[in-house]
Amino acid sequence: MGTTERHATIADVAALAGVSVGTASKALNGRGSLREETRTRVKEAARQLNFEVNAGARSLHSGRTYTVGMITTDTIGRFSIPVLIGAEDALGAGQMSVFLCDGRDDPIREQYHVKTLLSRRVDGIIVTGRRTQARAPIAPVLPVPVVYAFISSTDPEDCSIVPDEEGGTRKAIEHLLAVGRTRIAHVTGPEHHHSAQVRAAAAAERVAEAGLALAAPPLFGAWSEVWGRQSVGILLAGGTEFDAIYCGNDQIARGAADALRAAGRRVPEDVALVGFDNWDVMAESCQPPLTSIDMNLEGLGRSAAEMLLAAINGAPSPGRHARPCQLVVRESTVPPHRPA
Amino acid sequence: MGTTERHATIADVAALAGVSVGTASKALNGRGSLREETRTRVKEAARQLNFEVNAGARSLHSGRTYTVGMITTDTIGRFSIPVLIGAEDALGAGQMSVFLCDGRDDPIREQYHVKTLLSRRVDGIIVTGRRTQARAPIAPVLPVPVVYAFISSTDPEDCSIVPDEEGGTRKAIEHLLAVGRTRIAHVTGPEHHHSAQVRAAAAAERVAEAGLALAAPPLFGAWSEVWGRQSVGILLAGGTEFDAIYCGNDQIARGAADALRAAGRRVPEDVALVGFDNWDVMAESCQPPLTSIDMNLEGLGRSAAEMLLAAINGAPSPGRHARPCQLVVRESTVPPHRPA
DNA sequence: ATGAAAGCGCTAACAT
DNA sequence: ATGTTAGCGCTTTCAT
């Protein structure tokens, strides 16, 4: 294979079909009034030459490129992928293509990407990242609309689509209460991490609303299995009585499951476990499989793309838009064959 | 923020600077001979107007878009991401942007993407996917060069960059032999899966070269932790004597580690474990941390991008190019504080 | 129903 | 050193 065949131009097609370029253009785009015979003759010529219209040249006219840029604040990872897939999906349906730019947590690199995207005259930009924490806008003012997905902008006028982590947390706690747990502990990521803060606060709040308190102050650590295991050690050593742990993410939950089993506590009979992220690989191979909160990242991406398209078409939706999370129940809270 | 400021054209810049467009173009591109004063005046005008050259219009002239397409055969996932990142990295350095297209295992969708990319006049295309198995070329003949990364093309004339899975497997076995293991079992993914076949065959071969045989016929199953656990049950129940398991991927290895521990076998003292993929999240939180084979996917992506750039510049490298895998030693084969 | 011509934003060859 | 002009591939009036 490799490089063969030159790109055919519409002039080539017109010549082959024996018409003018104007006519060829009309024929191919279904515009103007042409004899049916001419239309098919042109189309046949185009087919024969493998003609694909030069989108760049066309954009020169239309002012639109049917192209959007997607910038990751940090790096392309576990959280940005689903967002990316969702966006790609929604945009592809609208015949748009996506330029992917990896920011790598480097503001210079990011600015470079913004410049490049503008130079390529993208119709709009989606910004995403690994964390939900708000970030500074990618530029004070831009000639195209911007939508932040998952991550959000510190400017409240910017359009941001974010998961409702507080609502998700409430669902997790409500589920634990529903399966009869009253002594709920909370183990999560770094104290300075936005998601850790939000989830911890929401958990405490929801538990309080039920007239209860967390079994122990939230344990902040790392987003890792190792920390999940350690935290159980801490809880047990501290003499905390608990019949459930709401974990900040699935890895922590999984570490906790392993440590609990090693300590002779049964999951979910003695201790029920809820994770966060609903990361299939983790949740499903956990022993037992893990109940978790799903942020519906793909939906977030799709939503962001749709709002960007709307903004491109002149109907922006400024502001922060929170999308609901979903509880996915597995055996770490409800034993098999004995649904709650 | 949002939509403000129109895109400035070079004519706008020229007008503001009080020169002709030709002069403005030269000033901005550092061509021709201009008075330094003029050059700076034009640049200042461009800066003031936030001018970004219209890349599409420029391409009309140069015939190049400095843009490449990246198509995933299946879906954007754990294997394609690093490839993507590597490619993005290498291409970004060359001022090129990447169009990302998600194939979703759908040939129609894929063809649509190919058409779109050609229409956008990408300078080249990178094809990648989740499996190393060779696939049919994306098109019999194309006006731009194509490079397959990770996945390969069935056409031996196509340029494909693939990991040397056989070599990686040999490294794994050699490492196990080096730490004194002689009864090596092999547990891997589905029998019909290309990687499973290649790795199983290479393992058997390398063991044979050492004058040994596998402790049992390879166990084919799924690429999952669940299967990793089950397989240990099978080995133990079958009375197989083994002091090592070479696993087809990290998830299987991790499942095996858990099952071995549950069965009272120590890792690595009684049974040494080697995985494949070196998936950090899995390998590092495994108990004990997992020795694994790394395919260097990012390097693969970078390499593919470089070869694509070379091909675009007229120096193609047809054929299948295998890249070495690397052994990453952790405690599942070598106990801490007692390096081999 | 079809063709001719202008113009989208830019570059490069050619004048001045 | 700077300006003028043609033309890249395409769409779209406006003639015919």
Side-chain angles (χ1 to χ4, degrees):
Chain A
M1 187 205 292
T3 313
T4 317
E5 281 194 29
R6 216 50 243 132
H7 282 292
T9 72
I10 204 170
D12 299 333
V13 174
L16 179 57
V19 296
S20 71
V21 286
T23 303
S25 172
K26 285 170 206 152
L28 294 172
N29 296 302
R31 265 185 261 282
S33 45
L34 266 54
R35 255 187 314 162
E36 197 47 38
E37 193 269 328
T38 313
R39 221 176 270 284
T40 53
R41 189 151 39 89
V42 171
K43 282 185 177 163
E44 170 56 20
R47 204 196 51 70
Q48 247 177 269
L49 296 173
N50 260 315
F51 172 78
E52 292 295 340
V53 68
N54 183 325
R58 176 181 273 176
S59 301
L60 218 44
H61 238 263
S62 65
R64 283 198 50 181
T65 55
Y66 293 90
T67 277
V68 312
M70 180 133 180
I71 302 186
T72 59
T73 285
D74 31 62
T75 189
I76 307 170
R78 191 153 59 80
F79 296 107
S80 41
I81 306 305
V83 176
L84 182 62
I85 291 179
E88 212 264 354
D89 196 46
L91 293 166
Q95 314 265 66
M96 320 248 335
S97 292
V98 181
F99 274 123
L100 184 63
C101 306
D102 189 343
R104 311 261 165 105
D105 268 322
D106 176 355
I108 310 235
R109 195 182 161 99
E110 181 174 293
Q111 283 314 300
Y112 163 75
H113 277 137
V114 171
K115 269 185 175 296
T116 305
L117 290 176
L118 292 180
S119 180
R120 300 204 192 283
R121 294 297 188 268
V122 292
D123 296 332
I125 298 178
I126 296 178
V127 181
T128 188
R130 177 178 50 202
R131 312 168 45 139
T132 54
Q133 182 150 33
R135 49 151 292 158
I138 51 169
V141 56
L142 240 32
V144 296
V146 179
V147 172
Y148 297 79
F150 191 60
I151 204 168
S152 64
S153 165
T154 47
D155 183 339
E157 287 304 302
D158 285 337
C159 176
S160 304
I161 322 286
V162 298
D164 178 9
E165 300 178 86
E166 182 183 332
T169 293
R170 298 179 73 87
K171 285 185 183 175
I173 301 294
E174 280 155 19
H175 173 62
L176 287 172
L177 295 170
V179 295
R181 310 305 161 128
T182 56
R183 315 186 70 87
I184 304 173
H186 180 51
V187 177
T188 189
E191 182 149 21
H192 60 79
H193 195 110
H194 178 253
S195 288
Q197 288 168 10
V198 170
R199 297 172 195 175
E205 193 179 288
R206 185 59 187 84
V207 163
E209 284 175 21
L212 301 168
L214 285 175
L219 289 176
F220 293 95
W223 296 115
S224 69
E225 288 190 54
V226 172
W227 164 239
R229 289 179 217 141
Q230 290 172 344
S231 68
V232 165
I234 294 173
L235 287 173
L236 294 175
T240 305
E241 285 190 36
F242 60 101
D243 54 16
I245 311 179
Y246 167 50
C247 301
N249 76 355
D250 290 341
Q251 284 155 276
I252 292 173
R254 178 154 188 200
D258 288 342
L260 285 167
R261 183 155 22 86
R265 307 277 178 125
R266 293 167 308 162
V267 177
E269 291 80 356
D270 301 328
V271 180
L273 240 34
V274 175
F276 204 107
D277 290 346
N278 192 34
W279 185 11
D280 50 2
V281 183
M282 278 295 149
E284 284 161 15
S285 45
C286 184
Q287 304 189 65
L290 196 62
T291 293
S292 188
I293 301 294
D294 192 311
M295 293 186 281
N296 188 16
L297 296 175
E298 247 187 83
L300 237 52
R302 216 182 329 267
S303 213
E306 283 159 4
M307 299 188 91
L308 183 64
L309 288 178
I312 290 171
N313 294 319
S317 326
R320 199 166 169 284
H321 306 268
R323 292 276 181 272
C325 295
Q326 202 193 335
L327 174 76
V328 178
V329 178
R330 295 197 187 82
E331 301 170 21
S332 70
T333 52
V334 177
H337 305 291
R338 213 166 42 92
Chain B
M1 186 204 298
T3 313
T4 317
E5 278 195 30
R6 219 44 248 133
H7 282 291
T9 72
I10 204 169
D12 299 333
V13 174
L16 179 58
V19 298
S20 71
V21 286
T23 304
S25 173
K26 284 171 207 152
L28 294 173
N29 295 302
R31 264 184 262 282
S33 48
L34 267 55
R35 254 188 316 162
E36 197 48 37
E37 192 270 328
T38 312
R39 221 176 269 284
T40 54
R41 188 152 40 89
V42 171
K43 283 186 175 162
E44 171 56 19
R47 202 196 52 70
Q48 248 178 269
L49 295 173
N50 262 315
F51 172 77
E52 292 295 341
V53 69
N54 183 325
R58 176 182 274 175
S59 301
L60 219 44
H61 234 261
S62 65
R64 284 199 49 181
T65 55
Y66 293 90
T67 277
V68 312
M70 181 133 180
I71 300 186
T72 59
T73 285
D74 31 62
T75 189
I76 308 169
R78 190 154 59 81
F79 296 106
S80 42
I81 307 305
V83 176
L84 182 62
I85 291 179
E88 212 263 356
D89 196 46
L91 292 166
Q95 312 266 66
M96 320 251 329
S97 291
V98 180
F99 273 122
L100 184 62
C101 305
D102 189 341
R104 309 261 166 107
D105 268 323
D106 176 355
I108 310 234
R109 195 183 161 98
E110 182 174 293
Q111 282 313 300
Y112 163 75
H113 276 137
V114 171
K115 269 186 174 297
T116 305
L117 290 175
L118 292 180
S119 180
R120 300 205 193 283
R121 295 294 189 270
V122 293
D123 295 332
I125 298 178
I126 296 178
V127 180
T128 188
R130 174 178 52 200
R131 313 169 45 142
T132 53
Q133 182 152 31
R135 49 151 290 158
I138 51 169
V141 55
L142 240 33
V144 296
V146 179
V147 172
Y148 297 79
F150 190 60
I151 203 168
S152 64
S153 165
T154 47
D155 183 339
E157 286 305 302
D158 285 338
C159 176
S160 305
I161 322 286
V162 297
D164 178 9
E165 298 179 87
E166 182 183 332
T169 293
R170 299 178 72 87
K171 286 186 181 174
I173 301 293
E174 279 154 20
H175 173 62
L176 287 172
L177 294 170
V179 295
R181 308 306 160 127
T182 55
R183 316 185 71 88
I184 304 174
H186 181 50
V187 177
T188 188
E191 183 150 20
H192 60 79
H193 196 109
H194 178 252
S195 289
Q197 288 168 9
V198 170
R199 296 172 195 175
E205 190 178 291
R206 186 59 188 83
V207 164
E209 285 175 21
L212 300 167
L214 285 175
L219 288 177
F220 293 96
W223 297 114
S224 69
E225 289 190 52
V226 172
W227 164 239
R229 289 180 219 141
Q230 290 172 345
S231 68
V232 166
I234 294 173
L235 287 174
L236 294 176
T240 306
E241 284 190 35
F242 60 101
D243 54 16
I245 311 179
Y246 167 51
C247 300
N249 77 355
D250 290 342
Q251 284 155 276
I252 292 174
R254 181 157 185 197
D258 288 343
L260 286 167
R261 184 156 21 86
R265 307 275 178 127
R266 293 168 308 165
V267 177
E269 291 80 358
D270 302 326
V271 180
L273 238 35
V274 176
F276 204 107
D277 291 345
N278 191 34
W279 186 11
D280 50 3
V281 184
M282 278 294 148
E284 283 162 17
S285 44
C286 185
Q287 305 190 67
L290 195 63
T291 293
S292 188
I293 301 294
D294 192 311
M295 294 187 283
N296 188 17
L297 295 175
E298 247 187 82
L300 237 50
R302 215 182 329 268
S303 213
E306 284 159 3
M307 299 188 90
L308 183 65
L309 289 179
I312 290 171
N313 293 319
S317 326
R320 197 167 172 285
H321 307 268
R323 291 277 182 269
C325 296
Q326 202 193 334
L327 175 77
V328 178
V329 178
R330 296 197 185 84
E331 300 170 22
S332 70
T333 52
V334 178
H337 305 294
R338 214 166 40 93

